[in-house]
Amino acid sequence: MNIFWALVIFSVVVIIHEFGHYLFARKGGIKVNEFSLGMGPRLFSFYAAGTKWSVKLLPIGGSCMMEGEDEASDDEGAFANKSVWVRIWTVFGGPLFNFILAFILSIFVIGSIGYDNSKIVSVTKGYPAEQAGLRAGDEITKINGTGINIGREVSSYFVFHPLSDRNVSIEVKRGDEKLNFDVTPQEKEKFYLGFSYNPSGGEAVIETVTDDGPLKAAGAKAGDIITAIDGNEIKSGEELSNYFVANPFDGKEVKLTLKRGDSGKIEEVTVTPMSAGSSYTLGMVSNTAREKTGIGGTLYYALHETKYVVVTTVESLKMMVTGRVKAKDIAGPVGIVNMIGNSYEQSKNEGIMVILLSMASISILISANLGVMNLLPIPALDGGRLVFLIIEAVRGKPVDPDKEGRVHFVGFVLLMVLMAVVLFNDILRIIG
């Protein structure tokens, strides 16, 4: 089933991309010779609307082959014989349809489980956020001038713009008021237990444990549920998150009450938090739990969900270029298949609706990523072709086709090398 879902997601995302090219090509009068579902040897085909529609052996992706796209043609409907603006829109159509697909899937997800508002869940007493005047319940609308619409944008902002000793400007909505606060981050030693969980309204289930972390050393496993800390009852992931904010670790032992995921047995373990070094903090936690909204709100937040994924992709690429993200940390097709498989395994016992929502969320990420990546000004990608078309539009004549072809060929070779490196890293990550 893992491979099935991966094939479905990859195929849908790529086919939608190619259909974007097809639709704009036909709209601009460009002749589309063949539109293929899958790759490799052709299984069967038929003609409709002047195009050969094919189904091929390998159920991966597809293609939209236009007349005169990569070779000279005297046909009136050839790609090269159309105006530069028709060609620009035809090339741009693929990435555009990936963004549209991400938006449609976001409507499905948000319409089903809601959106995460950008309210502050809690502030730690004596920390900068509280001292500046921020309160739990304040809805963050801007951070340093950057608009905030959903809760995940708060945490992602600080991932891409790490805290330092510089003030942080935070605009919030408190009731009917809009208030501005300048918060000075504080440097604190941080301690951790070495696990991940979902800070939502459901039970505080341990999703993963770090191999060399204190919690694993204490005998905790993924699937265990935290029901109390030092005698304080924990009913949900959200309560666990709030507890950590109100009671930051200081290196002293803590007692966790666990409900074992495999047996349901209640056990108590003692854990000594491990130091993670010092870092800057504001002492506040933003919301990640979702709440339902109406039709208008669903459309509004679906748009911001799509924007969030696109911005996150762009910012991640910046981190890669500046060296903050290493090549070994980049996931390729094998890594994505593994991610899809893990997501399916975690949701398969929750019913088909949970599986569909999980797969839709991954598809949003993959579709938006494909749209962004294809718009990069790299030869052999849509973005590289757009660069040459824009140059043609500015100078009033096309770049020499032979020179452009050589540039795209070099770009294609480099992309293949990069894919090989990413594939190698994927395999090492999985077997490691």
Side-chain angles (χ1 to χ4, degrees):
M1 287 299 291
N2 296 354
I3 297 297
F4 167 78
W5 283 110
L7 289 175
V8 168
I9 290 173
F10 279 127
S11 294
V12 169
V13 169
V14 174
I15 286 298
I16 291 296
H17 176 94
E18 297 300 333
F19 188 73
H21 289 313
Y22 171 82
L23 200 63
F24 279 92
R26 292 303 303 267
K27 192 72 175 176
I30 297 172
K31 181 181 178 181
V32 178
N33 293 327
E34 184 177 18
F35 190 97
S36 300
L37 174 62
M39 300 176 67
R42 188 178 292 105
L43 295 178
F44 65 88
S45 61
F46 62 91
Y47 283 90
T51 298
K52 186 177 186 179
W53 300 81
S54 302
V55 175
K56 296 186 176 181
L57 178 63
L58 302 177
I60 304 172
S63 63
C64 175
M65 300 177 65
M66 293 172 273
E67 176 71 24
E69 183 180 7
D70 297 313
E71 72 285 328
S73 174
D74 295 328
D75 194 302
E76 183 182 349
F79 179 83
N81 294 336
K82 297 301 178 180
S83 74
V84 67
W85 295 110
V86 167
R87 284 177 282 144
I88 285 175
W89 274 107
T90 299
V91 173
F92 180 69
L96 175 63
F97 265 52
N98 281 131
F99 299 139
I100 292 173
L101 175 61
F103 174 67
I104 292 172
L105 291 173
S106 295
I107 292 175
F108 168 64
V109 172
I110 293 171
S112 300
I113 61 175
Y115 74 102
D116 50 320
N117 66 50
S118 57
K119 288 182 179 179
I120 297 174
V121 174
S122 58
V123 293
T124 307
K125 188 175 181 180
Y127 276 63
E130 188 217 26
Q131 293 171 347
L134 288 164
R135 304 176 189 169
D138 288 346
E139 183 178 349
I140 299 175
T141 55
K142 286 184 181 179
I143 301 177
N144 288 336
T146 299
I148 301 295
N149 298 97
I150 58 177
R152 280 162 293 154
E153 288 180 327
V154 178
S155 55
S156 67
Y157 179 87
F158 292 119
V159 169
F160 300 125
H161 307 87
L163 291 169
S164 64
D165 57 357
R166 299 178 62 181
N167 281 8
V168 177
S169 173
I170 299 178
E171 179 185 284
V172 303
K173 184 178 179 183
R174 182 180 293 170
D176 294 329
E177 289 186 281
K178 278 197 173 180
L179 306 172
N180 287 281
F181 299 90
D182 280 331
V183 188
T184 304
Q186 184 176 358
E187 191 171 15
K188 288 276 189 179
E189 185 176 10
K190 297 190 73 174
F191 294 85
Y192 72 99
L193 296 182
F195 76 104
S196 66
Y197 66 100
N198 185 357
S200 64
E203 291 181 312
V205 180
I206 297 174
E207 294 184 342
T208 61
V209 289
T210 307
D211 285 339
D212 56 352
L215 202 57
K216 183 167 185 178
K221 301 176 182 178
D224 291 346
I225 301 168
I226 298 175
T227 59
I229 301 179
D230 287 335
N232 298 283
E233 187 179 11
I234 301 296
K235 296 180 180 179
S236 67
E238 186 176 3
E239 286 190 8
L240 180 61
S241 176
N242 293 341
Y243 181 87
F244 286 154
V245 172
N247 305 275
F249 296 130
D250 57 7
K252 296 179 181 178
E253 287 185 347
V254 294
K255 291 184 178 180
L256 301 183
T257 304
L258 302 176
K259 180 180 179 182
R260 294 297 186 179
D262 52 359
S263 64
K265 184 179 179 182
I266 303 297
E267 292 185 18
E268 190 175 85
V269 297
T270 300
V271 188
T272 302
M274 184 177 292
S275 175
S278 62
S279 62
Y280 287 92
T281 182
L282 298 179
M284 70 176 191
V285 171
S286 59
N287 173 62
T288 58
R290 291 180 180 258
E291 62 182 56
K292 288 291 190 76
T293 183
I295 295 175
T298 297
L299 294 174
Y300 176 80
Y301 286 107
L303 185 63
H304 285 291
E305 180 81 16
T306 306
K307 184 201 78 172
Y308 164 74
V309 179
V310 169
V311 170
T312 300
T313 302
V314 172
E315 291 291 344
S316 298
L317 287 170
K318 289 181 183 177
M319 291 177 68
M320 186 177 70
V321 171
T322 57
R324 290 181 59 196
V325 172
K326 305 299 181 185
K328 65 182 180 66
D329 299 320
I330 303 170
V334 174
I336 295 172
V337 169
N338 189 53
M339 177 181 70
I340 293 171
N342 290 338
S343 182
Y344 171 74
E345 290 297 325
Q346 292 171 9
S347 59
K348 68 179 182 181
N349 294 326
E350 303 296 326
I352 186 63
M353 190 61 181
V354 175
I355 294 174
L356 290 176
L357 287 168
S358 179
M359 296 302 107
S361 296
I362 292 176
S363 299
I364 292 168
L365 177 65
I366 294 174
S367 191
N369 268 263
L370 182 62
V372 171
M373 295 299 292
N374 264 280
L375 286 177
L376 294 178
I378 298 174
L381 295 180
D382 290 335
R385 297 175 68 189
L386 284 172
V387 168
F388 283 99
L389 290 170
I390 291 170
I391 291 173
E392 178 182 342
V394 171
R395 68 199 292 253
K397 61 179 181 178
V399 176
D400 181 86
D402 290 335
K403 292 180 180 179
E404 181 179 347
R406 285 195 291 270
V407 171
H408 288 311
F409 177 76
V410 171
F412 176 78
V413 172
L414 293 176
L415 282 175
M416 291 302 101
V417 172
L418 177 61
M419 286 184 64
V421 172
V422 171
L423 177 62
F424 180 71
N425 286 333
D426 280 347
I427 296 172
L428 285 182
R429 191 182 297 115
I430 292 171
I431 65 177

Short mmCIF file of all heavy atoms in Angstrom, two decimals, residues 24-54:
data_model
loop_
_atom_site.label_atom_id
_atom_site.label_comp_id
_atom_site.label_asym_id
_atom_site.label_seq_id
_atom_site.Cartn_x
_atom_site.Cartn_y
_atom_site.Cartn_z
N PHE A 24 -2.93 25.48 -21.52
CA PHE A 24 -2.47 26.77 -22.03
C PHE A 24 -1.96 26.65 -23.47
O PHE A 24 -2.08 27.59 -24.25
CB PHE A 24 -1.39 27.35 -21.11
CG PHE A 24 -1.95 28.03 -19.90
CD1 PHE A 24 -2.12 27.34 -18.71
CD2 PHE A 24 -2.31 29.36 -19.95
CE1 PHE A 24 -2.65 27.95 -17.60
CE2 PHE A 24 -2.84 29.99 -18.84
CZ PHE A 24 -3.01 29.29 -17.65
N ALA A 25 -1.39 25.49 -23.80
CA ALA A 25 -0.93 25.27 -25.17
C ALA A 25 -2.13 25.29 -26.12
O ALA A 25 -2.12 25.97 -27.16
CB ALA A 25 -0.18 23.94 -25.27
N ARG A 26 -3.18 24.53 -25.80
CA ARG A 26 -4.36 24.48 -26.65
C ARG A 26 -5.04 25.85 -26.73
O ARG A 26 -5.52 26.26 -27.79
CB ARG A 26 -5.34 23.43 -26.11
CG ARG A 26 -4.85 21.99 -26.24
CD ARG A 26 -4.53 21.63 -27.69
NE ARG A 26 -5.68 21.84 -28.56
CZ ARG A 26 -6.57 20.91 -28.87
NH1 ARG A 26 -6.42 19.69 -28.38
NH2 ARG A 26 -7.57 21.17 -29.67
N LYS A 27 -5.06 26.56 -25.61
CA LYS A 27 -5.67 27.89 -25.58
C LYS A 27 -4.91 28.85 -26.50
O LYS A 27 -5.50 29.73 -27.13
CB LYS A 27 -5.66 28.43 -24.15
CG LYS A 27 -6.49 29.67 -23.92
CD LYS A 27 -7.96 29.37 -23.96
CE LYS A 27 -8.78 30.61 -23.61
NZ LYS A 27 -10.24 30.37 -23.74
N GLY A 28 -3.58 28.65 -26.59
CA GLY A 28 -2.76 29.52 -27.43
C GLY A 28 -2.60 29.04 -28.86
O GLY A 28 -1.83 29.62 -29.62
N GLY A 29 -3.29 27.94 -29.22
CA GLY A 29 -3.23 27.44 -30.58
C GLY A 29 -2.02 26.58 -30.88
O GLY A 29 -1.70 26.31 -32.04
N ILE A 30 -1.34 26.11 -29.82
CA ILE A 30 -0.19 25.23 -30.00
C ILE A 30 -0.68 23.79 -30.16
O ILE A 30 -1.53 23.33 -29.40
CB ILE A 30 0.79 25.34 -28.82
CG1 ILE A 30 1.36 26.76 -28.73
CG2 ILE A 30 1.93 24.33 -28.95
CD1 ILE A 30 2.19 27.01 -27.47
N LYS A 31 -0.14 23.09 -31.12
CA LYS A 31 -0.52 21.70 -31.38
C LYS A 31 0.16 20.78 -30.37
O LYS A 31 1.38 20.79 -30.22
CB LYS A 31 -0.11 21.30 -32.80
CG LYS A 31 -0.49 19.87 -33.17
CD LYS A 31 -0.04 19.57 -34.60
CE LYS A 31 -0.36 18.12 -34.98
NZ LYS A 31 0.12 17.81 -36.35
N VAL A 32 -0.64 19.99 -29.65
CA VAL A 32 -0.10 19.01 -28.71
C VAL A 32 -0.15 17.64 -29.38
O VAL A 32 -1.23 17.11 -29.65
CB VAL A 32 -0.91 18.99 -27.39
CG1 VAL A 32 -0.35 17.93 -26.45
CG2 VAL A 32 -0.88 20.36 -26.73
N ASN A 33 1.01 17.09 -29.68
CA ASN A 33 1.07 15.81 -30.39
C ASN A 33 0.65 14.63 -29.52
O ASN A 33 -0.05 13.73 -29.98
CB ASN A 33 2.48 15.57 -30.93
CG ASN A 33 2.86 16.56 -32.02
OD1 ASN A 33 2.00 16.99 -32.79
ND2 ASN A 33 4.12 16.93 -32.09
N GLU A 34 1.09 14.64 -28.27
CA GLU A 34 0.77 13.51 -27.41
C GLU A 34 0.72 13.94 -25.95
O GLU A 34 1.54 14.72 -25.49
CB GLU A 34 1.81 12.39 -27.57
CG GLU A 34 1.49 11.13 -26.75
CD GLU A 34 2.49 10.01 -26.98
OE1 GLU A 34 3.60 10.30 -27.48
OE2 GLU A 34 2.16 8.84 -26.67
N PHE A 35 -0.26 13.42 -25.25
CA PHE A 35 -0.35 13.60 -23.80
C PHE A 35 -0.33 12.22 -23.19
O PHE A 35 -1.19 11.38 -23.50
CB PHE A 35 -1.64 14.33 -23.41
CG PHE A 35 -1.67 14.75 -21.97
CD1 PHE A 35 -1.32 16.04 -21.60
CD2 PHE A 35 -2.04 13.85 -20.98
CE1 PHE A 35 -1.34 16.43 -20.26
CE2 PHE A 35 -2.05 14.22 -19.65
CZ PHE A 35 -1.71 15.51 -19.29
N SER A 36 0.66 11.96 -22.34
CA SER A 36 0.86 10.60 -21.82
C SER A 36 0.62 10.50 -20.33
O SER A 36 1.04 11.37 -19.55
CB SER A 36 2.29 10.13 -22.11
OG SER A 36 2.54 10.12 -23.50
N LEU A 37 -0.05 9.45 -19.93
CA LEU A 37 -0.18 9.08 -18.53
C LEU A 37 0.81 7.94 -18.30
O LEU A 37 0.69 6.86 -18.87
CB LEU A 37 -1.61 8.61 -18.23
CG LEU A 37 -1.86 8.04 -16.83
CD1 LEU A 37 -1.60 9.11 -15.78
CD2 LEU A 37 -3.28 7.51 -16.71
N GLY A 38 1.81 8.20 -17.47
CA GLY A 38 2.86 7.21 -17.24
C GLY A 38 4.04 7.41 -18.17
O GLY A 38 4.06 8.33 -19.00
N MET A 39 5.03 6.53 -18.04
CA MET A 39 6.24 6.61 -18.85
C MET A 39 6.61 5.22 -19.35
O MET A 39 6.05 4.22 -18.91
CB MET A 39 7.38 7.21 -18.01
CG MET A 39 7.09 8.61 -17.49
SD MET A 39 8.40 9.25 -16.42
CE MET A 39 9.74 9.41 -17.59
N GLY A 40 7.56 5.17 -20.29
CA GLY A 40 8.01 3.90 -20.81
C GLY A 40 7.22 3.46 -22.02
O GLY A 40 6.61 4.28 -22.72
N PRO A 41 7.19 2.14 -22.30
CA PRO A 41 6.48 1.63 -23.48
C PRO A 41 4.97 1.95 -23.42
O PRO A 41 4.36 1.89 -22.35
CB PRO A 41 6.72 0.12 -23.41
CG PRO A 41 7.94 -0.03 -22.56
CD PRO A 41 7.90 1.08 -21.57
N ARG A 42 4.40 2.23 -24.57
CA ARG A 42 2.98 2.58 -24.66
C ARG A 42 2.12 1.32 -24.59
O ARG A 42 2.33 0.35 -25.32
CB ARG A 42 2.73 3.32 -25.96
CG ARG A 42 1.34 3.92 -26.11
CD ARG A 42 1.17 4.67 -27.42
NE ARG A 42 2.00 5.89 -27.44
CZ ARG A 42 3.12 6.01 -28.14
NH1 ARG A 42 3.55 5.00 -28.89
NH2 ARG A 42 3.81 7.13 -28.12
N LEU A 43 1.13 1.32 -23.71
CA LEU A 43 0.21 0.19 -23.59
C LEU A 43 -0.93 0.32 -24.58
O LEU A 43 -1.27 -0.63 -25.27
CB LEU A 43 -0.33 0.10 -22.15
CG LEU A 43 0.69 -0.21 -21.05
CD1 LEU A 43 0.01 -0.22 -19.69
CD2 LEU A 43 1.37 -1.55 -21.31
N PHE A 44 -1.56 1.50 -24.62
CA PHE A 44 -2.60 1.76 -25.60
C PHE A 44 -2.78 3.26 -25.74
O PHE A 44 -2.31 4.04 -24.89
CB PHE A 44 -3.92 1.09 -25.22
CG PHE A 44 -4.54 1.62 -23.95
CD1 PHE A 44 -5.40 2.72 -23.97
CD2 PHE A 44 -4.30 0.99 -22.74
CE1 PHE A 44 -5.98 3.19 -22.81
CE2 PHE A 44 -4.87 1.47 -21.57
CZ PHE A 44 -5.71 2.57 -21.60
N SER A 45 -3.44 3.68 -26.81
CA SER A 45 -3.63 5.10 -27.05
C SER A 45 -4.86 5.32 -27.92
O SER A 45 -5.38 4.38 -28.55
CB SER A 45 -2.40 5.71 -27.72
OG SER A 45 -2.17 5.11 -28.98
N PHE A 46 -5.34 6.55 -27.97
CA PHE A 46 -6.45 6.93 -28.84
C PHE A 46 -6.30 8.41 -29.18
O PHE A 46 -5.58 9.16 -28.50
CB PHE A 46 -7.80 6.66 -28.15
CG PHE A 46 -8.01 7.46 -26.89
CD1 PHE A 46 -8.64 8.71 -26.92
CD2 PHE A 46 -7.58 6.96 -25.66
CE1 PHE A 46 -8.84 9.44 -25.76
CE2 PHE A 46 -7.77 7.69 -24.49
CZ PHE A 46 -8.40 8.93 -24.54
N TYR A 47 -6.96 8.84 -30.24
CA TYR A 47 -6.88 10.23 -30.68
C TYR A 47 -8.16 10.97 -30.30
O TYR A 47 -9.27 10.45 -30.46
CB TYR A 47 -6.67 10.30 -32.19
CG TYR A 47 -5.25 10.01 -32.62
CD1 TYR A 47 -4.84 8.71 -32.90
CD2 TYR A 47 -4.32 11.03 -32.71
CE1 TYR A 47 -3.54 8.42 -33.28
CE2 TYR A 47 -3.01 10.76 -33.10
CZ TYR A 47 -2.63 9.47 -33.38
OH TYR A 47 -1.34 9.20 -33.76
N ALA A 48 -8.00 12.18 -29.80
CA ALA A 48 -9.13 13.05 -29.49
C ALA A 48 -8.64 14.49 -29.48
O ALA A 48 -7.55 14.78 -28.98
CB ALA A 48 -9.74 12.69 -28.14
N ALA A 49 -9.42 15.39 -30.07
CA ALA A 49 -9.10 16.82 -30.11
C ALA A 49 -7.72 17.07 -30.71
O ALA A 49 -7.01 17.99 -30.29
CB ALA A 49 -9.18 17.42 -28.71
N GLY A 50 -7.34 16.24 -31.70
CA GLY A 50 -6.07 16.44 -32.39
C GLY A 50 -4.85 16.00 -31.61
O GLY A 50 -3.72 16.26 -32.01
N THR A 51 -5.05 15.31 -30.50
CA THR A 51 -3.95 14.86 -29.65
C THR A 51 -4.01 13.36 -29.44
O THR A 51 -5.09 12.78 -29.33
CB THR A 51 -4.01 15.58 -28.28
OG1 THR A 51 -3.87 16.98 -28.46
CG2 THR A 51 -2.90 15.08 -27.35
N LYS A 52 -2.85 12.74 -29.40
CA LYS A 52 -2.76 11.31 -29.10
C LYS A 52 -2.68 11.15 -27.59
O LYS A 52 -1.76 11.65 -26.94
CB LYS A 52 -1.51 10.72 -29.75
CG LYS A 52 -1.38 9.21 -29.62
CD LYS A 52 -0.13 8.74 -30.38
CE LYS A 52 -0.04 7.23 -30.41
NZ LYS A 52 1.15 6.78 -31.18
N TRP A 53 -3.67 10.48 -27.01
CA TRP A 53 -3.72 10.26 -25.57
C TRP A 53 -3.24 8.85 -25.29
O TRP A 53 -3.81 7.88 -25.77
CB TRP A 53 -5.15 10.46 -25.05
CG TRP A 53 -5.65 11.85 -25.32
CD1 TRP A 53 -6.18 12.31 -26.49
CD2 TRP A 53 -5.64 12.95 -24.41
NE1 TRP A 53 -6.51 13.64 -26.37
CE2 TRP A 53 -6.18 14.06 -25.10
CE3 TRP A 53 -5.23 13.12 -23.09
CZ2 TRP A 53 -6.33 15.31 -24.52
CZ3 TRP A 53 -5.37 14.36 -22.50
CH2 TRP A 53 -5.91 15.43 -23.20
N SER A 54 -2.16 8.74 -24.50
CA SER A 54 -1.51 7.44 -24.30
C SER A 54 -1.45 7.06 -22.83
O SER A 54 -1.32 7.91 -21.94
CB SER A 54 -0.08 7.47 -24.86
OG SER A 54 -0.08 7.81 -26.23
#
